[in-house]
Each structure stands twice: as C-alpha cells, then as structure tokens.
Amino acid sequence: AQNNFELLISLNLSPDGKSIYVADFDGNQVGLITRDPSSGTVELATIYEDGKDGENLGGPEAVLVSPDNKHAYVVAFFGSSVGAFLRDQQSGELTQIQSLKPKEGNEELFFGMEAASFSPDGTRLVLVSPPSDRLAVCARDPESGQLSLLWSQPFQVEQQPDPGRVVIGPQGKKVHVSLRKQGSVATFLMQESGELAWQSSWQVPAHLAGLTDFTNGLALTQNGVHLYSSSMLGDSITVFQVGHALSGDDNGCGQACP
C-alpha cells in the first residue's frame, strides 16, 4: 500500500502483537501495519478509506482491537460513529460489519468522540467526547462483534468537564476519565445496565496548582493499582494509587512529578 497519510493522530497495537492500526484524522482513513513479532519490523499493508472501504469514518481518532483479537473498532470524530470491523486474525485485514451511528437528530450522542477503552472481557466499550462533554457506553456481542448503545449522558456543567481519555480497571467496574478543564481525574462505577455512576473526582490541592492543568493522558497498570495522568500545560505526570494517594500529605491528591 502507498503511504498517503495526512495526519496520523494515534496508533494501537493488537493484543496478539501482529498488527498496528493507525488513524489518519485529516485523510479520513485508517491503516493496517503488519508486524513481525520476532524482529519487531513493520510494513504498511492496507489503507481503508472513508466511503470506499468503510462508512462514516470521517476524522478517525482511534482504532481499537477487541481483547479477543476478533474485531476492530474505529472511533470517528466527524463521522459521529463507531465502525465495527471483522478482523482476520492471521493477516489483520479488516472488513466492516457495522457503522453504529445515532439516528438523525441525535448525532450529538456520538459527535466528537476522541477516545475509547474496552472492559477486560471485551463486552463493554466506553467512549469519550470532549466537544460535547459526553460519555457513552456500548455493549459488544463477542460472537458477531456488533455494538449496541446502552447509555450516553453529558456531564453536569458544575463538574467542569472537557473529558479527555478513559481507562477501565481490571475487574471492569472502575472507569477513570481525565478532566482537562479541571486538571483532574474522575472515577465512575460501571453498572450492570451499562450506566456509569459518578463516584468521585480528585480535588487539586493548592500546592499542586498549575502542575495538573489540562490533564489528558491516562495509563493504568495491569493490576489496576496505579493510575498515571499527564498534564499538557503543567508538563507533569501525576501518580495515583487507586483508592489511596501516594504522597505523604495526601488528602487524596496523589503525587505530581514535574
């Protein structure tokens, strides 16, 4: 495949380590890059274009592969959709099987989706939209790969939202979302219905003012014990022990590492 990418905004490695998928935001396309697991070398294999190889892929932000490696999902900012693809587990090639897009008049439910995360068992997909200050939860059928919308709701204004990224704990219960305007992280509890119930948000202590401004990136250790957030304006990393803070003078604040 010829490389005609315009703006690569993200990349994700499949759980089996065989494929890398890149999202070309300005090019309205996603790319499959095959990977040799032994040498680590890569090669561009296929480009999937909006309107040609898939529907409603405008402004792709991320391509996620399900934990079982069977399907891939494209989160499209301008497409206001999530594209579901059957994934060939040998070649990594994709074939679209669904474009989950709200009915006309309800486009705001998915507009501006920038980030997503799977529950460990692959049955729930949590989506984040900063422009609409909204979270959404989809159910995934592991056999067919089809998605269905379970819940979608905007933040309350007083919560000072602008959500950025999302990670889900190893039990699939705790959902952590970065809050860019607040320079903070919020924690939700996943209900059986798919609804996310607000649990708490970290309050930035005075002595860390400015260090956590525009918190965006999130990473969670595999055991779910330590959560890391990055600040785009404070140029710092904040470290949390989930359920406890790491700093001595903690008040639940964690520890900022400029």
Side-chain angles (χ1 to χ4, degrees), residues 6 30 54 71 107 149 188 191 228 256:
E6 297 180 33
V30 299
H71 304 96
E107 289 85 353
L149 180 63
F188 297 81
Q191 309 298 301
Y228 300 85

Side-chain angles (χ1 to χ4, degrees), residues 12-48:
N12 280 291
L13 179 67
S14 60
D16 59 17
K18 296 179 180 178
S19 311
I20 295 172
Y21 297 93
V22 294
D24 179 6
F25 187 84
D26 284 358
N28 298 317
Q29 57 192 358
V30 299
L32 161 64
I33 298 172
T34 55
R35 173 180 175 270
D36 184 321
S38 58
S39 67
T41 56
V42 296
E43 181 179 357
L44 178 61
T46 309
I47 291 176
Y48 304 90

Side-chain angles (χ1 to χ4, degrees), residues 91-175:
S91 67
E93 294 286 350
L94 304 178
T95 304
Q96 190 170 33
I97 55 176
Q98 181 191 23
S99 175
L100 182 63
K101 187 178 177 71
K103 294 180 180 178
E104 186 174 352
N106 291 315
E107 289 85 353
E108 76 277 1
L109 293 183
F110 274 15
F111 174 75
M113 292 294 177
E114 287 188 15
S117 182
F118 270 113
S119 60
D121 64 3
T123 63
R124 295 288 185 269
L125 180 66
V126 178
L127 299 147
V128 176
S129 170
S132 60
D133 291 326
R134 181 178 289 272
L135 300 177
V137 179
C138 295
R140 170 181 172 264
D141 183 320
E143 293 303 315
S144 69
Q146 296 270 333
L147 297 176
S148 57
L149 180 63
L150 293 177
W151 177 86
S152 178
Q153 185 171 305
F155 280 81
Q156 300 300 314
V157 174
E158 62 269 19
Q159 291 169 336
Q160 299 181 357
D162 193 18
R165 298 293 179 262
V166 57
V167 292
I168 302 177
Q171 304 303 317
K173 299 295 184 184
K174 287 192 175 184
V175 179

Side-chain angles (χ1 to χ4, degrees), residues 4 16 51 71 81 94 141 180 198 221 244 249:
N4 62 346
D16 59 17
H71 304 96
S81 72
L94 304 178
D141 183 320
R180 300 197 288 208
W198 177 279
T221 53
H244 303 278
D249 143 342

